[in-house]
Amino acid sequence: AQKITQTQPGMFVQEKEAVTLDCTYDTSDPSYGLFWYKQPSSGEMIFLIYQGSYDQQNATEGRYSLNFQKARKSANLVISASQLGDSAMYFCAMREGLRRANFGNEKLTFGTGTRLTIIP
Amino acid sequence: DAGVIQSPRHEVTEMGQEVTLRCKPISGHNSLFWYRQTMMRGLELLIYFNNNVPIDDSGMPEDRFSAKMPNASFSTLKIQPSEPRDSAVYFCASSSSLLPRQEILRQPQHFGDGTRLSIL
């Protein structure tokens, strides 16, 4: 079973509109973290925002916010007032809780990504 | 601050040749990750190190791939002999686990710019 599912392979959004990128996850671990990364056409992977499973509030970072619905196991990324520079691939990733004493679960599991295109 | 540094940025070589990719993690980070990104398979974790020790190499495709981390500031990923199906973008990422456990959970991985590898 996929641990991270991004069901939108591509999206087209008009500039200045808000956009929601979907991410659902699967874990039985009560402690986990969810990350969003942006990959522009230049290829680098840029960390955007983090949400912890025990965080009381939805994460926000500038124009980025997370719509975290724990019962539904979804962590959708919302970009407000989209800009042309937001055109990129967006990846959702999860790190499950650290069960071993010192290390072992630091790795991230990535979704397949959503290609977002902002239309002028 | 310097980010994760990878070299070379691009590599084109003929099949059968040995390829060595290099990575310098962010100073102070003690976890290092090698990923491969292709259109077909997305972003795959190949191997990761903690304190220079390989922790999980289950993603290494086959014996032609090997990775080393001789010290805290340097890692290599080697392919010998290379094959056309190894063509991909290879990323190195680093993070820190020298933190309380709950802080480790929220640490993003910081990616290098990647090496675009083409095997002819």
Side-chain angles (χ1 to χ4, degrees):
Chain A
Q2 292 289 330
K3 289 210 169 188
I4 295 285
T5 302
Q6 295 182 254
T7 57
Q8 307 150 309
M11 286 186 71
F12 291 84
V13 173
Q14 203 74 41
E15 190 180 7
K16 298 181 186 175
E17 289 185 352
V19 56
T20 298
L21 304 180
D22 295 342
C23 173
T24 57
Y25 58 91
D26 182 26
T27 181
S28 58
D29 200 317
S31 176
Y32 53 89
L34 297 155
F35 300 78
W36 277 90
Y37 283 82
K38 173 184 179 181
Q39 187 177 37
S41 57
S42 48
E44 70 270 30
M45 292 284 284
I46 303 165
F47 165 66
L48 295 178
I49 195 168
Y50 167 83
Q51 179 81 48
S53 60
Y54 291 123
D55 290 348
Q56 294 296 313
Q57 294 187 329
N58 286 349
T60 61
E61 198 70 52
R63 291 187 300 111
Y64 303 111
S65 61
L66 259 167
N67 182 2
F68 181 48
Q69 298 187 46
K70 199 168 177 177
R72 293 186 174 185
K73 292 189 175 178
S74 74
N76 299 338
L77 176 70
V78 180
I79 307 174
S80 63
S82 58
Q83 303 170 357
L84 296 178
D86 294 332
S87 294
M89 280 288 286
Y90 288 81
F91 292 94
C92 181
M94 177 173 64
R95 173 182 288 136
E96 292 170 284
L98 305 173
R99 293 178 181 169
R100 282 191 271 173
N102 298 313
F103 53 78
N105 284 357
E106 298 169 62
K107 60 184 179 181
L108 295 178
T109 303
F110 283 83
T112 52
T114 296
R115 183 173 296 281
L116 175 65
T117 303
I118 306 299
I119 305 165
Chain B
D1 289 343
V4 176
I5 299 172
Q6 291 187 246
S7 64
R9 288 297 311 276
H10 303 273
E11 174 92 10
V12 180
T13 191
E14 293 186 345
M15 66 177 291
Q17 297 297 307
E18 178 177 289
V19 173
T20 300
L21 311 181
R22 297 173 176 81
C23 176
K24 177 178 168 56
I26 291 173
S27 177
H29 282 185
N30 66 326
S31 295
L32 184 140
F33 307 81
W34 281 102
Y35 289 90
R36 177 173 67 177
Q37 186 178 33
T38 61
M39 289 292 291
M40 291 297 294
R41 301 174 69 92
L43 199 62
E44 304 173 274
L45 177 67
L46 300 178
I47 185 171
Y48 87 92
F49 295 84
N50 182 269
N51 295 327
N52 311 338
V53 176
I55 302 302
D56 184 349
D57 65 354
S58 59
M60 294 287 263
E62 49 199 274
D63 292 346
R64 298 185 297 105
F65 285 68
S66 63
K68 293 183 180 179
M69 191 162 187
N71 58 61
S73 59
F74 184 66
S75 177
T76 59
L77 178 68
K78 191 170 291 188
I79 309 172
Q80 167 63 18
S82 57
E83 296 183 4
R85 61 191 167 124
D86 302 330
S87 298
V89 179
Y90 290 81
F91 286 102
C92 176
S94 72
S95 66
S96 175
S97 67
L98 300 171
L99 298 161
R101 184 180 287 192
Q102 275 305 111
E103 286 301 312
I104 298 173
L105 191 63
R106 61 193 310 122
Q107 291 301 304
Q109 291 178 9
H110 299 270
F111 283 74
D113 288 340
T115 294
R116 185 173 295 276
L117 177 63
S118 298
I119 308 296
L120 306 177

